[in-house]
Amino acid sequence: MSNNINHTTGDIFIPTVWSKELIMAVEPELVLASRVWRHDDAVSEFGDTLIIPQISQLEANDKVQNIDVNLQAPTEAGITLLVNKHKESSFVIEDKLSRQAKYNLLNVYKGQAAKAIARSADSDLAGLFSGFSQTTGTYNTAITTDVILDAIELLDNADVPQTERYFCFRPDVKRDLLDLATYTSKDFVGGDSPVRTGIIGDLYGVETAMSTNLVKTGNNTNNGLFHKEAISMAWQLKPRMQMQYDLLKLGTVCVADSMWGTIETRDTYGVLIKT
């Protein structure tokens, strides 16, 4: 038996090498907060309650000669949006770890904390889909072209503007959509074919997005078709990051927090799509 200096005896000389890149936590796409009716400016300086006035439709009446016009005076109401959410995401990086780690962990986890706050806000908005009184589709059933067209028809019948409409589906529904010829054909879908790109584009002229933040309970999924004004959001304090050195912890404490409120604004402007 030879006494070679080999991989085992010389193991002390072989370094453990760490990648320059970090495997970041998987983040869902944040799609709803940028597509709903925003009232951030109204609560940017103070207040915890926002009243959004509702304006009634006026009627066109026949004008009769020598008779005064028919004056209309509807009694108006408003929707109350409460800025009642205050969320935080915090952590501490001790000096020993910060000093010895290869990576800038403060920057890494600051980004994760900010995303956690934003993800929570998007989930709040997704939860409002279940409040829409108009529904199409059936739970635990693959989406069909009829379900999509029925949802569009509901908005059309309610005189909802054609612009600023959005479909939002969970990933499993995207898979079912890609099985529909009317979805993958360039005759029906705006832009390049999803079969080639794998990207959801416009569907029947409606911008289509995907989000894992949508509510799914068991096999029941709440997707949605909505106009921007169907849901309102007032983001009073957008995600901020505050840091402070803590002598007792011998580390840097970081706290991300944010304040907002959400509410359904116009029920006929939204459709719950069940799958």
Side-chain angles (χ1 to χ4, degrees):
M1 179 177 180
S2 61
N3 294 320
N4 296 339
I5 299 175
N6 55 35
H7 186 279
T8 301
T9 61
D11 181 68
I12 188 65
F13 302 114
I14 303 174
T16 299
V17 179
W18 287 76
S19 170
K20 294 181 180 179
E21 303 298 329
L22 291 172
I23 301 176
M24 303 300 293
V26 177
E27 293 298 331
E29 290 292 331
L30 305 177
V31 301
L32 295 177
S34 62
R35 290 172 168 83
V36 299
W37 198 7
R38 297 285 289 272
H39 305 271
D40 303 353
D41 291 344
V43 295
S44 61
E45 297 183 4
F46 47 77
D48 63 356
T49 302
L50 173 66
I51 304 298
I52 306 172
Q54 294 176 293
I55 306 300
S56 302
Q57 288 185 336
L58 297 181
E59 301 295 332
N61 300 304
D62 292 329
K63 176 61 176 73
V64 181
Q65 292 185 22
N66 300 321
I67 300 297
D68 290 349
V69 297
N70 185 10
L71 298 176
Q72 301 174 65
T75 299
E76 305 294 13
I79 293 175
T80 301
L81 189 158
L82 300 178
V83 182
N84 56 2
K85 299 293 177 66
H86 190 183
K87 299 284 188 175
E88 63 86 14
S89 182
S90 54
F91 61 93
V92 59
I93 303 292
E94 293 188 2
D95 287 348
K96 185 177 181 180
L97 176 61
S98 179
R99 188 72 173 181
Q100 296 181 349
K102 176 180 176 63
Y103 309 100
N104 187 334
L105 296 180
L106 274 177
N107 285 342
V108 170
Y109 286 103
K110 280 193 299 183
Q112 291 302 313
K115 290 177 181 179
I117 296 294
R119 186 169 62 247
S120 178
D122 224 41
S123 296
D124 274 355
L125 293 167
L128 295 177
F129 285 4
S130 62
F132 292 145
S133 62
Q134 303 181 123
T135 66
T136 62
T138 304
Y139 281 136
N140 196 22
T141 304
I143 197 168
T144 65
T145 301
D146 281 340
V147 169
I148 295 170
L149 294 178
D150 286 346
I152 293 174
E153 183 180 12
L154 285 170
L155 295 196
D156 290 343
N157 287 335
D159 292 324
V160 177
Q162 297 293 319
T163 58
E164 296 184 305
R165 293 184 180 188
Y166 306 102
F167 277 117
C168 193
F169 301 110
R170 280 189 64 90
D172 53 327
V173 182
K174 174 186 175 182
R175 182 250 180 267
D176 293 332
L177 284 170
L178 293 175
D179 258 351
L180 301 178
T182 51
Y183 184 79
T184 56
S185 171
K186 293 183 66 174
D187 293 334
F188 298 92
V189 181
D192 210 342
S193 170
V195 171
R196 193 182 72 82
T197 66
I199 298 174
I200 296 180
D202 292 351
L203 180 57
Y204 296 105
V206 178
E207 182 180 321
T208 306
M210 181 184 70
S211 174
T212 55
N213 287 328
L214 300 189
V215 177
K216 182 172 184 177
T217 306
N219 292 322
N220 300 338
T221 303
N222 289 343
N223 310 280
L225 168 64
F226 62 97
H227 182 270
K228 176 181 180 179
E229 293 185 11
I231 295 174
S232 285
M233 178 179 191
W235 212 326
Q236 188 171 54
L237 176 64
K238 294 184 180 180
R240 64 178 177 178
M241 178 65 64
Q242 300 184 90
M243 295 188 296
Q244 177 177 301
Y245 187 78
D246 191 316
L247 187 59
L248 296 180
K249 290 182 172 59
L250 285 180
T252 302
V253 178
C254 298
V255 178
D257 73 319
S258 185
M259 298 168 59
W260 68 83
T262 61
I263 197 170
E264 179 187 315
T265 317
R266 308 188 74 162
D267 185 64
T268 58
Y269 276 42
V271 180
L272 170 64
I273 302 176
K274 300 177 181 179
T275 59

